Amino acid sequence: MAFTAEKEALVVDSWNAIKTDAAELGLKFFLRIFEITPSASGLFPFLRDTSVPLEKNPKLKRHAMSVFAMTCEAAVQLRKLGRVILKETTIKHLGATHAKAGITGEHFELMRYALLETIREAVPYMWSPKMRNAWAESYDQLVEAIKKEMRPVA
Ligand code: HEM
């Protein structure tokens, strides 16, 4: 089914409404992930062996921002081009990084749940099943693009 301008607007408008609070949302997003699956924090090299508290870790916030912003960009591309196209070097790097870090389909599922819950809580006045589906579809297509480049690490 086509990714319509309506779907694009559902993602982009909600993102624009909350992006000024992205740092705080990013933290909530990751705390939710670690609350559901505490072992997931062990996947991030910069969280191991550090005395910096989670909420002060700039790399965690940066990762959350990447997920939010890239999902939003995916919505724009899906409407314009019908698929998610990232720069060749970017997608290869993302595939390799996540493969090396041992990220599995279950981790992507967990993040999907946390992402949708975080956006829902951030924009309760805008939230609807249609908005949920538009975010979910954008995220799923972005993840598919990353997964294609995740070859087993030798
Ligand atoms: C690294 C984006 C999903 C764990 C990264 C980087 C980006 C990124 C941009 C930094 C690459 C670099 O600069 O080297 C995304 C996007 C995702 C996603 C867009 C989904 C759409 C996940 C999931 C997990 C995860 C589900 C695990 C729960 C990691 C880890 C690193 C990483 C462990 C390496 C961090 C490091 O070595 O410093 N990701 N990510 N990512 N991501 Fe993700």
Side-chain angles (χ1 to χ4, degrees):
M1 233 210 305
F3 199 91
T4 57
E6 184 196 1
K7 289 186 188 175
E8 178 191 23
L10 286 166
V11 175
V12 174
D13 292 351
S14 49
W15 173 238
N16 283 338
I18 57 179
K19 69 179 176 195
T20 46
D21 295 330
E24 200 184 314
L25 284 178
L27 180 65
K28 272 198 190 162
F29 173 47
F30 267 99
L31 290 180
R32 191 180 286 269
I33 290 176
F34 299 152
E35 196 180 280
I36 304 170
T37 307
S39 60
S41 67
L43 297 165
F44 293 85
F46 53 79
L47 295 180
R48 293 182 217 134
D49 311 321
T50 173
S51 52
V52 181
L54 275 185
E55 63 276 16
K56 297 239 160 66
N57 196 305
K59 289 192 176 174
L60 200 58
K61 285 186 187 158
R62 211 174 306 143
H63 188 278
M65 269 299 280
S66 299
V67 177
F68 290 141
M70 288 179 73
T71 305
C72 189
E73 281 161 28
V76 176
Q77 291 186 341
L78 283 169
R79 202 268 305 151
K80 257 199 216 155
L81 311 167
R83 61 196 185 108
V84 176
I85 300 175
L86 296 172
K87 245 176 52 194
E88 179 82 3
T89 46
T90 308
I91 194 68
K92 288 224 174 315
H93 180 66
L94 281 181
T97 308
H98 291 91
K100 187 165 166 239
I103 309 307
T104 64
E106 283 178 12
H107 296 127
F108 283 112
E109 274 294 307
L110 170 66
M111 178 171 278
R112 182 187 200 267
Y113 173 79
L115 174 76
L116 297 175
E117 282 297 289
T118 307
I119 306 286
R120 181 179 67 81
E121 278 181 8
V123 288
Y125 50 94
M126 293 174 117
W127 192 249
S128 67
K130 275 186 176 177
M131 182 174 279
R132 182 198 173 281
N133 290 342
W135 273 95
E137 199 176 334
S138 308
Y139 176 80
D140 289 347
Q141 298 278 344
L142 173 60
V143 167
E144 277 316 304
I146 296 175
K147 278 186 179 168
K148 271 196 200 136
E149 294 298 331
M150 284 177 69
R151 307 185 205 294
V153 198

